[in-house]
Amino acid sequence: IVTVFGCTGFLGRYVVNKFGRIGSQVVLPYRGNETDFTHLKVMGDVGQIVPLPFHPRHQESIETAISKSNVVVNLIGQYYDTKNFTIEQANIDTAARIAEACAAKDNVQRVIYMSSVHASKDSPSRLYKAKAEAEKITKDLLGDRATIVRSTQLFGAEDRLLNRLGGAVRYWPVVPRLPDRVVAPVDVANVADAIVAIALSNDSRTFELQGPSAFQQQELFEALCRVMHRDSTKFHELPEPLMQLGVKILSKMRRPAITEDEYTTIGVNDIADPKMPGLAELDITPTSLEQAAISTIRKYRPPQAMYAVGNEDVEQVKADMEQRLSPKNWSYLRHPLDTTPRKLRLFKQEELPALPDEGKVHILNEQQNYIINPDHR
Protein backbone atom coordinates (compact mmCIF):
# COMPACT_ATOMS: atom_id res chain seq x y z
CA ILE A 1 0.00 0.00 0.00
CA VAL A 2 1.44 3.36 -1.07
CA THR A 3 0.49 6.86 0.05
CA VAL A 4 1.44 9.55 -2.49
CA PHE A 5 1.44 13.09 -1.11
CA GLY A 6 1.36 15.59 -3.97
CA CYS A 7 -0.49 13.08 -6.16
CA THR A 8 -2.41 15.77 -8.08
CA GLY A 9 0.74 17.48 -9.33
CA PHE A 10 2.75 17.01 -12.52
CA LEU A 11 4.94 14.15 -11.28
CA GLY A 12 2.21 12.75 -9.02
CA ARG A 13 -0.01 11.43 -11.81
CA TYR A 14 2.87 9.44 -13.29
CA VAL A 15 3.85 7.96 -9.93
CA VAL A 16 0.24 6.93 -9.21
CA ASN A 17 0.01 5.34 -12.65
CA LYS A 18 3.24 3.35 -12.20
CA PHE A 19 2.19 2.01 -8.78
CA GLY A 20 -1.31 1.23 -10.09
CA ARG A 21 0.17 -0.81 -12.92
CA ILE A 22 2.02 -3.15 -10.59
CA GLY A 23 -1.11 -3.73 -8.50
CA SER A 24 -0.34 -1.57 -5.47
CA GLN A 25 -3.19 0.03 -3.59
CA VAL A 26 -2.60 3.78 -3.76
CA VAL A 27 -3.88 6.27 -1.18
CA LEU A 28 -4.35 9.78 -2.63
CA PRO A 29 -4.33 12.53 0.02
CA TYR A 30 -5.87 15.63 -1.58
CA ARG A 31 -6.56 19.16 -0.36
CA GLY A 32 -8.89 20.53 -3.04
CA ASN A 33 -12.14 19.12 -4.41
CA GLU A 34 -13.11 15.92 -6.21
CA THR A 35 -12.17 17.21 -9.67
CA ASP A 36 -8.52 17.33 -8.60
CA PHE A 37 -8.15 13.54 -8.52
CA THR A 38 -10.78 12.38 -11.03
CA HIS A 39 -8.13 11.59 -13.65
CA LEU A 40 -6.28 9.39 -11.14
CA LYS A 41 -9.19 7.08 -10.28
CA VAL A 42 -8.92 5.25 -13.62
CA MET A 43 -5.30 4.26 -12.93
CA GLY A 44 -6.26 1.17 -10.98
CA ASP A 45 -9.00 -1.38 -10.45
CA VAL A 46 -12.09 -0.77 -8.32
CA GLY A 47 -10.96 -0.04 -4.76
CA GLN A 48 -7.30 0.18 -5.74
CA ILE A 49 -7.17 4.00 -5.88
CA VAL A 50 -8.31 5.52 -2.58
CA PRO A 51 -8.77 9.33 -2.43
CA LEU A 52 -8.56 10.75 1.09
CA PRO A 53 -9.00 14.40 2.13
CA PHE A 54 -6.16 15.87 4.18
CA HIS A 55 -4.63 19.20 5.14
CA PRO A 56 -0.89 19.84 5.54
CA ARG A 57 -1.47 21.64 8.85
CA HIS A 58 -3.73 18.92 10.26
CA GLN A 59 -1.50 16.22 11.75
CA GLU A 60 -4.33 13.77 12.35
CA SER A 61 -5.29 13.76 8.65
CA ILE A 62 -1.66 12.98 7.73
CA GLU A 63 -1.56 10.11 10.21
CA THR A 64 -4.82 8.72 8.80
CA ALA A 65 -3.42 8.85 5.26
CA ILE A 66 -0.38 6.73 6.17
CA SER A 67 -2.02 4.46 8.76
CA LYS A 68 -2.14 1.39 6.46
CA SER A 69 0.75 2.14 4.11
CA ASN A 70 4.20 0.58 4.02
CA VAL A 71 5.54 3.10 1.46
CA VAL A 72 5.05 6.87 1.60
CA VAL A 73 6.06 9.17 -1.27
CA ASN A 74 6.29 12.91 -0.61
CA LEU A 75 6.11 14.90 -3.86
CA ILE A 76 4.77 18.11 -2.31
CA GLY A 77 6.68 21.13 -3.55
CA GLN A 78 5.73 24.74 -4.21
CA TYR A 79 7.94 27.25 -6.01
CA TYR A 80 5.98 30.43 -5.22
CA ASP A 81 4.16 32.03 -2.29
CA THR A 82 0.38 31.92 -2.03
CA LYS A 83 -2.06 33.49 0.41
CA ASN A 84 -2.22 30.18 2.30
CA PHE A 85 1.37 28.91 2.20
CA THR A 86 4.79 30.45 1.79
CA ILE A 87 7.57 28.52 0.08
CA GLU A 88 9.01 27.58 3.48
CA GLN A 89 5.67 26.46 4.91
CA ALA A 90 4.84 24.31 1.88
CA ASN A 91 8.25 22.68 1.55
CA ILE A 92 9.72 22.54 5.06
CA ASP A 93 6.78 22.44 7.48
CA THR A 94 4.76 19.96 5.44
CA ALA A 95 7.75 17.64 4.94
CA ALA A 96 8.47 17.80 8.68
CA ARG A 97 4.90 16.86 9.62
CA ILE A 98 4.87 13.94 7.17
CA ALA A 99 8.27 12.72 8.42
CA GLU A 100 7.14 12.97 12.06
CA ALA A 101 3.98 10.98 11.33
CA CYS A 102 5.96 8.30 9.44
CA ALA A 103 8.58 8.05 12.18
CA ALA A 104 5.85 7.19 14.70
CA LYS A 105 4.37 4.44 12.49
CA ASP A 106 6.04 1.03 12.42
CA ASN A 107 4.11 0.00 9.32
CA VAL A 108 5.90 2.62 7.18
CA GLN A 109 9.02 0.90 5.87
CA ARG A 110 10.14 3.39 3.20
CA VAL A 111 9.67 7.16 2.80
CA ILE A 112 10.74 8.71 -0.52
CA TYR A 113 11.21 12.47 -0.59
CA MET A 114 11.36 14.29 -3.95
CA SER A 115 13.91 17.10 -4.08
CA SER A 116 16.09 18.92 -6.62
CA VAL A 117 19.73 18.72 -7.70
CA HIS A 118 19.97 22.42 -6.73
CA ALA A 119 18.98 21.80 -3.10
CA SER A 120 21.59 23.49 -0.90
CA LYS A 121 21.60 25.49 2.32
CA ASP A 122 23.96 27.98 0.59
CA SER A 123 21.70 28.53 -2.44
CA PRO A 124 20.48 32.10 -3.08
CA SER A 125 17.04 30.62 -3.82
CA ARG A 126 14.48 30.30 -1.03
CA LEU A 127 13.06 27.21 -2.74
CA TYR A 128 16.35 25.30 -2.85
CA LYS A 129 17.22 26.31 0.71
CA ALA A 130 13.83 24.97 1.76
CA LYS A 131 14.40 21.73 -0.15
CA ALA A 132 17.77 21.24 1.55
CA GLU A 133 16.22 21.83 4.98
CA ALA A 134 13.37 19.40 4.21
CA GLU A 135 15.90 16.74 3.15
CA LYS A 136 17.81 17.16 6.44
CA ILE A 137 14.64 16.93 8.56
CA THR A 138 13.43 13.82 6.71
CA LYS A 139 16.78 12.06 7.09
CA ASP A 140 17.18 13.05 10.74
CA LEU A 141 13.74 11.76 11.71
CA LEU A 142 13.69 8.58 9.62
CA GLY A 143 17.31 7.57 9.15
CA ASP A 144 17.71 4.58 6.83
CA ARG A 145 13.97 4.43 6.23
CA ALA A 146 14.23 7.62 4.11
CA THR A 147 15.39 7.92 0.51
CA ILE A 148 16.07 11.30 -1.12
CA VAL A 149 15.49 11.59 -4.87
CA ARG A 150 16.88 14.68 -6.58
CA SER A 151 16.31 15.45 -10.24
CA THR A 152 17.06 18.02 -12.88
CA GLN A 153 14.16 19.80 -14.57
CA LEU A 154 11.43 17.42 -15.68
CA PHE A 155 9.96 17.32 -19.17
CA GLY A 156 6.67 15.79 -20.23
CA ALA A 157 3.18 16.58 -21.46
CA GLU A 158 2.36 18.98 -18.60
CA ASP A 159 5.85 20.36 -17.89
CA ARG A 160 7.16 23.88 -17.33
CA LEU A 161 10.06 23.47 -19.77
CA LEU A 162 8.65 22.66 -23.20
CA ASN A 163 5.24 24.23 -22.62
CA ARG A 164 6.70 27.46 -21.28
CA LEU A 165 9.04 27.72 -24.27
CA GLY A 166 6.32 26.77 -26.77
CA GLY A 167 3.87 29.32 -25.39
CA ALA A 168 6.50 32.05 -25.47
CA VAL A 169 7.66 31.53 -29.07
CA ARG A 170 4.09 31.13 -30.28
CA TYR A 171 2.44 34.12 -28.61
CA TRP A 172 5.16 36.59 -27.59
CA PRO A 173 6.59 39.04 -30.15
CA VAL A 174 9.96 38.96 -28.34
CA VAL A 175 11.39 36.14 -26.21
CA PRO A 176 14.13 37.12 -23.71
CA ARG A 177 17.42 35.30 -24.12
CA LEU A 178 18.20 33.74 -20.74
CA PRO A 179 21.73 33.36 -19.34
CA ASP A 180 23.28 30.33 -21.00
CA ARG A 181 23.93 27.21 -18.95
CA VAL A 182 24.21 23.44 -19.32
CA VAL A 183 20.93 21.55 -18.84
CA ALA A 184 20.10 17.82 -18.82
CA PRO A 185 16.30 17.52 -18.54
CA VAL A 186 14.92 14.16 -17.44
CA ASP A 187 11.73 12.46 -18.58
CA VAL A 188 9.02 12.57 -15.91
CA ALA A 189 8.12 8.93 -16.64
CA ASN A 190 11.72 7.88 -15.91
CA VAL A 191 11.59 9.62 -12.53
CA ALA A 192 8.31 7.84 -11.73
CA ASP A 193 9.93 4.52 -12.69
CA ALA A 194 12.84 5.34 -10.39
CA ILE A 195 10.53 6.03 -7.44
CA VAL A 196 8.77 2.69 -7.94
CA ALA A 197 12.11 0.87 -8.27
CA ILE A 198 13.36 2.45 -5.04
CA ALA A 199 10.16 1.45 -3.23
CA LEU A 200 10.57 -2.15 -4.39
CA SER A 201 14.32 -2.35 -3.65
CA ASN A 202 14.10 -0.60 -0.26
CA ASP A 203 17.25 1.42 -1.10
CA SER A 204 18.18 4.20 1.33
CA ARG A 205 20.80 5.98 -0.80
CA THR A 206 20.36 9.51 -2.17
CA PHE A 207 19.77 9.47 -5.93
CA GLU A 208 20.35 12.24 -8.47
CA LEU A 209 18.53 11.79 -11.78
CA GLN A 210 19.13 13.48 -15.11
CA GLY A 211 18.50 12.84 -18.79
CA PRO A 212 20.94 11.01 -21.10
CA SER A 213 22.06 14.18 -22.92
CA ALA A 214 23.33 17.57 -21.77
CA PHE A 215 22.70 20.71 -23.84
CA GLN A 216 23.62 24.34 -23.92
CA GLN A 217 20.29 25.89 -22.97
CA GLN A 218 20.09 28.43 -25.80
CA GLU A 219 21.09 25.86 -28.44
CA LEU A 220 18.37 23.55 -27.10
CA PHE A 221 15.75 26.31 -27.29
CA GLU A 222 16.67 27.19 -30.86
CA ALA A 223 16.59 23.51 -31.90
CA LEU A 224 13.14 23.11 -30.36
CA CYS A 225 11.98 26.20 -32.24
CA ARG A 226 13.02 24.56 -35.51
CA VAL A 227 11.04 21.45 -34.59
CA MET A 228 8.03 23.69 -33.84
CA HIS A 229 8.50 25.50 -37.18
CA ARG A 230 8.71 28.75 -35.24
CA ASP A 231 11.03 31.70 -35.74
CA SER A 232 14.09 31.32 -33.49
CA THR A 233 15.12 34.94 -34.20
CA LYS A 234 12.58 36.05 -31.58
CA PHE A 235 15.24 35.56 -28.91
CA HIS A 236 16.82 38.86 -27.88
CA GLU A 237 19.04 39.92 -25.03
CA LEU A 238 17.23 42.46 -22.88
CA PRO A 239 18.77 44.92 -20.43
CA GLU A 240 18.96 43.54 -16.89
CA PRO A 241 16.61 46.18 -15.38
CA LEU A 242 14.01 45.32 -18.03
CA MET A 243 14.42 41.59 -17.35
CA GLN A 244 13.95 42.12 -13.62
CA LEU A 245 10.85 44.22 -14.23
CA GLY A 246 9.39 41.54 -16.51
CA VAL A 247 10.09 38.80 -13.98
CA LYS A 248 8.49 40.90 -11.22
CA ILE A 249 5.34 41.36 -13.31
CA LEU A 250 5.14 37.68 -14.32
CA SER A 251 5.67 36.54 -10.71
CA LYS A 252 2.41 38.28 -9.71
CA MET A 253 0.34 35.90 -11.86
CA ARG A 254 -1.78 33.25 -10.15
CA ARG A 255 0.43 30.51 -11.61
CA PRO A 256 3.61 32.44 -12.45
CA ALA A 257 5.61 31.42 -15.51
CA ILE A 258 8.73 32.52 -13.64
CA THR A 259 9.29 33.92 -10.16
CA GLU A 260 11.82 36.34 -8.71
CA ASP A 261 13.15 33.50 -6.57
CA GLU A 262 13.62 31.26 -9.61
CA TYR A 263 15.43 34.05 -11.45
CA THR A 264 18.19 34.07 -8.82
CA THR A 265 19.43 30.66 -10.08
CA ILE A 266 18.53 31.06 -13.76
CA GLY A 267 22.21 30.78 -14.80
CA VAL A 268 23.17 27.76 -12.65
CA ASN A 269 23.91 24.53 -14.53
CA ASP A 270 21.06 22.02 -14.24
CA ILE A 271 22.96 18.72 -14.12
CA ALA A 272 23.32 15.88 -11.62
CA ASP A 273 26.46 15.00 -9.69
CA PRO A 274 28.14 12.15 -11.62
CA LYS A 275 29.38 10.66 -8.33
CA MET A 276 25.83 10.08 -7.10
CA PRO A 277 23.75 7.00 -8.06
CA GLY A 278 21.22 7.66 -10.80
CA LEU A 279 18.97 5.93 -13.30
CA ALA A 280 21.68 3.47 -14.35
CA GLU A 281 21.92 2.05 -10.82
CA LEU A 282 18.17 1.40 -10.94
CA ASP A 283 18.40 -0.35 -14.35
CA ILE A 284 16.28 2.34 -16.04
CA THR A 285 17.06 3.39 -19.61
CA PRO A 286 16.51 7.17 -19.80
CA THR A 287 14.35 8.65 -22.54
CA SER A 288 16.07 11.37 -24.55
CA LEU A 289 14.52 14.79 -24.96
CA GLU A 290 15.09 14.66 -28.72
CA GLN A 291 13.00 11.50 -28.94
CA ALA A 292 10.07 12.56 -26.74
CA ALA A 293 9.77 16.34 -27.17
CA ILE A 294 7.66 16.26 -30.35
CA SER A 295 4.65 14.77 -28.56
CA THR A 296 4.52 17.84 -26.30
CA ILE A 297 5.54 20.69 -28.61
CA ARG A 298 3.58 19.60 -31.69
CA LYS A 299 0.60 21.66 -30.52
CA TYR A 300 2.69 24.84 -30.78
CA ARG A 301 3.34 24.35 -34.49
CA PRO A 302 1.50 26.44 -37.12
CA PRO A 303 -1.62 24.61 -38.38
CA GLN A 304 -0.15 24.01 -41.84
CA ALA A 305 2.91 22.33 -40.31
CA MET A 306 1.16 20.36 -37.57
CA TYR A 307 2.18 16.96 -38.97
CA ALA A 308 5.11 18.02 -41.12
CA VAL A 309 7.99 15.56 -41.42
CA GLY A 310 11.61 15.98 -42.39
CA ASN A 311 12.92 15.21 -45.88
CA GLU A 312 14.49 11.98 -44.63
CA ASP A 313 11.04 10.70 -43.59
CA VAL A 314 9.10 11.59 -46.75
CA GLU A 315 9.89 8.35 -48.61
CA GLN A 316 8.92 6.24 -45.60
CA VAL A 317 5.61 8.10 -45.29
CA LYS A 318 4.91 7.60 -49.01
CA ALA A 319 5.61 3.85 -48.74
CA ASP A 320 3.30 3.56 -45.72
CA MET A 321 0.46 5.36 -47.52
CA GLU A 322 0.85 3.21 -50.66
CA GLN A 323 0.59 0.09 -48.53
CA ARG A 324 -2.45 1.39 -46.65
CA LEU A 325 -4.25 2.44 -49.85
CA SER A 326 -3.55 -0.71 -51.85
CA PRO A 327 -6.65 -2.47 -53.32
CA LYS A 328 -6.16 -5.53 -51.11
CA ASN A 329 -7.15 -3.43 -48.11
CA TRP A 330 -10.53 -2.72 -49.69
CA SER A 331 -11.72 -6.33 -49.56
CA TYR A 332 -14.81 -7.08 -47.50
CA LEU A 333 -15.82 -3.40 -47.72
CA ARG A 334 -12.99 -2.55 -45.35
CA HIS A 335 -11.83 1.01 -44.82
CA PRO A 336 -8.14 1.47 -45.76
CA LEU A 337 -7.23 2.32 -42.15
CA ASP A 338 -9.37 -0.35 -40.46
CA THR A 339 -7.53 -3.24 -38.82
CA THR A 340 -10.46 -5.66 -38.85
CA PRO A 341 -13.09 -6.30 -41.51
CA ARG A 342 -16.47 -4.77 -40.90
CA LYS A 343 -19.14 -7.17 -39.81
CA LEU A 344 -22.36 -7.09 -41.85
CA ARG A 345 -25.48 -7.81 -39.88
CA LEU A 346 -27.87 -9.72 -42.12
CA PHE A 347 -31.48 -9.96 -41.08
CA LYS A 348 -33.52 -12.52 -42.94
CA GLN A 349 -37.26 -12.44 -43.22
CA GLU A 350 -37.82 -15.72 -41.41
CA GLU A 351 -35.83 -14.55 -38.36
CA LEU A 352 -38.13 -11.60 -37.68
CA PRO A 353 -41.28 -11.88 -35.58
CA ALA A 354 -44.42 -12.37 -37.59
CA LEU A 355 -46.31 -9.19 -38.49
CA PRO A 356 -49.80 -8.74 -39.93
CA ASP A 357 -49.73 -8.93 -43.71
CA GLU A 358 -51.28 -5.49 -44.06
CA GLY A 359 -48.45 -3.94 -42.03
CA LYS A 360 -45.61 -5.33 -44.13
CA VAL A 361 -43.80 -3.72 -46.99
CA HIS A 362 -41.44 -6.10 -48.72
CA ILE A 363 -38.34 -4.58 -50.31
CA LEU A 364 -36.20 -6.87 -52.37
CA ASN A 365 -32.49 -6.27 -51.94
CA GLU A 366 -29.59 -7.98 -53.68
CA GLN A 367 -28.44 -9.50 -50.38
CA GLN A 368 -31.60 -10.02 -48.32
CA ASN A 369 -35.23 -9.12 -47.71
CA TYR A 370 -35.81 -6.15 -45.42
CA ILE A 371 -39.16 -5.79 -43.68
CA ILE A 372 -40.38 -2.33 -42.78
CA ASN A 373 -43.42 -1.68 -40.65
CA PRO A 374 -45.04 1.55 -41.90
CA ASP A 375 -46.39 2.23 -38.40
CA HIS A 376 -42.90 2.47 -36.95
CA ARG A 377 -41.06 4.53 -39.52
Side-chain angles (χ1 to χ4, degrees):
I1 301 177
V2 184
T3 298
V4 182
F5 290 96
C7 58
T8 58
F10 170 40
L11 175 58
R13 66 180 63 197
Y14 292 88
V15 173
V16 173
N17 179 268
K18 298 294 184 181
F19 276 115
R21 285 190 173 198
I22 64 173
S24 299
Q25 188 173 37
V26 188
V27 180
L28 309 180
Y30 69 95
R31 190 171 65 89
N33 54 46
E34 293 182 356
T35 59
D36 292 339
F37 60 80
T38 302
H39 61 289
L40 303 175
K41 294 181 71 175
V42 298
M43 296 181 180
D45 207 343
V46 177
Q48 189 179 348
I49 308 298
V50 185
L52 196 67
F54 100 110
H55 195 280
R57 294 194 178 106
H58 189 222
Q59 190 70 15
E60 186 178 346
S61 67
I62 296 175
E63 294 172 357
T64 302
I66 66 171
S67 60
K68 304 295 183 182
S69 300
N70 58 324
V71 175
V72 175
V73 181
N74 182 7
L75 306 177
I76 294 178
Q78 185 171 290
Y79 64 95
Y80 57 94
D81 293 329
T82 67
K83 64 180 181 180
N84 296 318
F85 297 93
T86 64
I87 290 176
E88 290 76 16
Q89 289 172 342
N91 292 279
I92 300 177
D93 296 351
T94 302
R97 291 190 182 95
I98 293 173
E100 289 173 4
C102 293
K105 296 285 186 179
D106 294 334
N107 57 283
V108 178
Q109 302 170 5
R110 177 60 45 196
V111 176
I112 301 172
Y113 177 69
M114 188 67 201
S115 186
S116 168
V117 295
H118 298 292
S120 171
K121 63 179 182 180
D122 300 322
S123 174
S125 167
R126 291 169 56 203
L127 171 62
Y128 298 136
K129 282 182 180 178
K131 284 292 186 183
E133 181 64 21
E135 286 183 12
K136 182 178 182 301
I137 292 173
T138 302
K139 272 293 189 182
D140 289 346
L141 290 174
L142 293 164
D144 290 339
R145 286 199 288 165
T147 301
I148 307 299
V149 179
R150 301 171 184 155
S151 79
T152 57
Q153 190 165 14
L154 307 180
F155 70 85
E158 308 87 4
D159 67 11
R160 294 182 61 243
L161 173 64
L162 301 177
N163 287 296
R164 184 165 57 178
L165 173 66
V169 298
R170 179 176 180 178
Y171 298 111
W172 295 5
V174 174
V175 181
R177 183 187 291 270
L178 301 176
D180 207 7
R181 60 175 180 164
V182 179
V183 295
V186 60
D187 187 3
V188 62
N190 292 153
V191 177
D193 285 330
I195 290 174
V196 175
I198 291 169
L200 295 175
S201 65
N202 207 25
D203 199 324
S204 61
R205 292 178 293 175
T206 296
F207 291 83
E208 291 199 4
L209 313 179
Q210 70 171 32
S213 305
F215 310 90
Q216 290 292 329
Q217 181 171 258
Q218 190 58 38
E219 293 179 1
L220 172 63
F221 286 175
E222 292 176 0
L224 291 173
C225 284
R226 290 192 293 271
V227 175
M228 288 187 284
H229 293 257
R230 294 289 177 179
D231 187 5
S232 61
T233 60
K234 282 186 174 184
F235 290 97
H236 295 281
E237 289 190 12
L238 301 181
E240 184 62 23
L242 186 58
M243 285 285 289
Q244 292 180 359
L245 177 61
V247 170
K248 188 173 184 178
I249 293 173
L250 290 174
S251 65
K252 302 301 181 184
M253 298 170 61
R254 183 174 178 271
R255 291 184 179 273
I258 188 172
T259 65
E260 294 179 85
D261 182 69
E262 186 179 0
Y263 188 69
T264 61
T265 57
I266 200 68
V268 179
N269 289 340
D270 189 34
I271 54 176
D273 186 348
K275 298 179 182 178
M276 301 292 287
L279 294 173
E281 283 71 17
L282 297 170
D283 295 326
I284 296 174
T285 302
T287 303
S288 65
L289 180 63
E290 307 97 303
Q291 176 184 352
I294 185 61
S295 60
T296 299
I297 62 178
R298 186 188 300 278
K299 57 180 175 285
Y300 297 109
R301 285 180 166 184
Q304 64 273 18
M306 187 65 67
Y307 293 99
V309 295
N311 293 331
E312 66 279 2
D313 298 325
V314 170
E315 294 302 323
Q316 181 62 41
V317 172
K318 286 182 178 179
D320 290 344
M321 291 305 297
E322 288 177 0
Q323 181 179 1
R324 289 179 179 275
L325 298 177
S326 62
K328 66 179 182 180
N329 285 330
W330 295 2
S331 59
Y332 304 108
L333 302 179
R334 187 169 63 181
H335 188 274
L337 301 182
D338 279 356
T339 57
T340 55
R342 295 173 182 245
K343 295 180 180 179
L344 299 177
R345 297 181 178 180
L346 302 179
F347 298 95
K348 297 182 180 180
Q349 180 175 349
E350 58 270 22
E351 296 176 351
L352 293 173
L355 294 175
D357 290 339
E358 62 273 11
K360 297 179 181 178
V361 176
H362 298 272
I363 301 177
L364 184 63
N365 188 280
E366 293 180 357
Q367 295 182 351
Q368 62 201 13
N369 290 331
Y370 289 89
I371 297 180
I372 301 174
N373 189 347
D375 296 332
H376 296 87
R377 287 183 181 178

